[in-house]
């Protein structure tokens, strides 16, 4: 949206930049977001972002629109690249299976310790094990749900990008 606003506010025609920005948003929604569910990146999204950066860094943009406008556009594209890098890092993050194994072993050992302490009092043993087991299952379940932010029941939606794309498309319409 910032690219749309800055490129529209300048005196020169930056239709090409707006079209590439729109293509980038479409590529994110249609190609990269589904790939992030599988912890992959879209080569096409990277290429379109590079094309946008190349187009904006052209010295003719500064000549026509002014260096302040070009600097603002470059800053915006660099923020887009940083946001993409952050999304890809989150989607590609695979928690080390060793850590999950260690947590599960620790939970099991804790259960054995709780059970061992209450060997002579079965009702206290059942109560302690039930409370600990319930707490452990709920906590680990909540952590596991958030482990893959672009897949699963609590996934991050591309809706803000969809809304930005709709706004950009409406602005480009005659």
């Amino acid at each position: 949206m910032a690219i749309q606003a800055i490129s529209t506010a300048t005196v020169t025609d930056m239709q090409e930049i707006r079209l590439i920005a729109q293509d980038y948003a479409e590529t994110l929604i249609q190609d990269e977001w589904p790939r992030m569910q599988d912890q992959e990146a879209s080569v096409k999204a990277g290429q379109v972002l590079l094309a946008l950066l190349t187009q904006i860094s052209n010295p003719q943009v500064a000549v026509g629109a002014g260096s302040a406008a070009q600097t603002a556009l470059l800053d915006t594209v660099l923020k887009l690249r940083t946001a993409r890098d952050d999304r890809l890092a989150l989607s590609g993050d695979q928690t080390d299976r060793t850590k999950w194994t260690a947590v599960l072993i620790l939970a099991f050992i804790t259960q054995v310790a709780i059970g061992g302490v209450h060997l002579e009092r079965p009702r206290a043993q059942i109560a302690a094990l039930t409370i600990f087991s319930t707490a452990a299952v709920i906590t680990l379940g909540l952590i596991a749900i958030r482990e893959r932010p672009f897949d699963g029941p609590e996934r991050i939606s591309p809706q803000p990008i969809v809304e930005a794309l709709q706004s950009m498309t409406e602005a480009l319409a005659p």
Side-chain angles (χ1 to χ4, degrees):
M1 292 304 303
I3 291 172
Q4 180 78 20
I6 295 168
S7 66
T8 303
T10 62
V11 187
T12 60
D13 180 28
M14 294 193 182
Q15 181 75 12
E16 183 67 26
I17 289 173
R18 289 190 293 274
L19 288 172
I20 296 172
Q22 183 178 353
D23 187 29
Y24 179 63
E26 289 172 355
T27 304
L28 284 180
I29 295 164
Q30 296 170 3
D31 190 37
E32 185 145 84
W33 220 270
R35 288 178 184 271
M36 286 191 305
Q37 291 177 355
D38 297 325
Q39 299 174 329
E40 297 175 1
S42 166
V43 173
K44 183 180 178 191
Q47 292 169 343
V48 175
L49 187 58
L50 180 61
L52 184 60
L53 181 60
T54 302
Q55 186 74 22
I56 289 173
S57 62
N58 184 339
Q60 292 303 314
V61 171
V63 171
S67 62
Q70 185 182 32
T71 301
L73 287 168
L74 283 170
D75 184 51
T76 303
V77 172
L78 293 176
K79 287 178 183 176
L80 286 175
R81 186 176 69 179
T82 300
R84 179 176 186 252
D85 291 343
D86 291 345
R87 279 192 310 273
L88 292 176
L90 281 173
S91 73
D93 183 33
Q94 292 188 343
T95 302
D96 188 3
R97 301 293 177 212
T98 307
K99 291 178 186 176
W100 276 106
T101 304
V103 168
L104 292 174
I105 290 171
L106 180 61
F108 176 74
I109 291 171
T110 304
Q111 279 187 319
V112 170
I114 290 171
V117 168
H118 298 292
L119 275 177
E120 292 150 7
R121 298 186 340 212
R123 290 175 65 188
Q125 182 184 45
I126 291 170
L129 287 173
T130 301
I131 291 169
F132 175 78
S133 298
T134 303
V137 167
I138 290 172
T139 304
L140 292 175
L142 290 173
I143 292 170
I145 285 174
R146 294 292 186 174
E147 185 176 15
R148 294 187 61 195
F150 297 97
D151 189 23
E154 296 289 323
R155 71 176 136 241
I156 297 172
S157 166
Q159 190 59 34
I161 299 172
V162 170
E163 292 171 7
L165 178 60
Q166 289 172 345
S167 179
M168 290 176 0
T169 304
E170 292 168 4
L172 287 174

